[in-house]
């Protein structure tokens, strides 16, 4: 069911510093910051040959990553995103195998304009998982 790794999302307290690190220290291709008010984040996309890294910084009062940064003030890995062909089929298989789907269980349109769901970290080795239909 699981396809390619689409991105690794890293919550960062300082978006400029994190973008600098990836661009100047690692020599990666790095986008300008993009505000995503619907998702409560500002994102810098880092393009690698085989996947993306997304540097996430809180935007607005109810950002979903604000609490994470309170617990992890230096930043850290927030979630992994795996591609699936059919998000409804993937969700139903995952639920049948005992995985918890976050929210109301209905896919939302994610930061790339494609349907996504999030899965409970306790069911995936302590890692928040996003699945995205590609
Ligand atoms: Co993501």
């Amino acid at each position: 069911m699981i396809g390619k790794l689409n991105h690794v999302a890293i919550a960062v307290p300082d978006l400029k510093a994190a973008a600098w690190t990836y661009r100047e220290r690692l020599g990666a291709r790095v986008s300008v910051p993009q505000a995503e008010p619907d998702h409560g984040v500002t994102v810098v996309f880092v393009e690698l040959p085989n996947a993306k890294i997304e540097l996430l910084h809180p935007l607005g009062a109810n950002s979903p990553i604000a609490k994470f940064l309170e617990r992890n003030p230096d930043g850290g890995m927030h979630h992994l995103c795996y591609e699936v062909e059919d998000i409804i089929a993937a969700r139903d298989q995952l639920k049948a195998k005992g995985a918890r789907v976050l929210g109301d269980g209905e896919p939302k349109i994610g930061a790339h304009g494609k349907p996504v769901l999030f899965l409970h970290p306790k069911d995936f080795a302590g890692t928040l998982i996003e699945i995205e239909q590609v």
Side-chain angles (χ1 to χ4, degrees), residues 7 54 79 130:
H7 62 268
E54 296 186 1
H79 65 267
E130 178 180 22

Side-chain angles (χ1 to χ4, degrees), residues 7 9 54 56 79-81 111-112 118 130:
H7 62 268
E54 296 186 1
L56 307 179
H79 65 267
L80 297 177
C81 177
H112 313 120
F118 283 91
E130 178 180 22

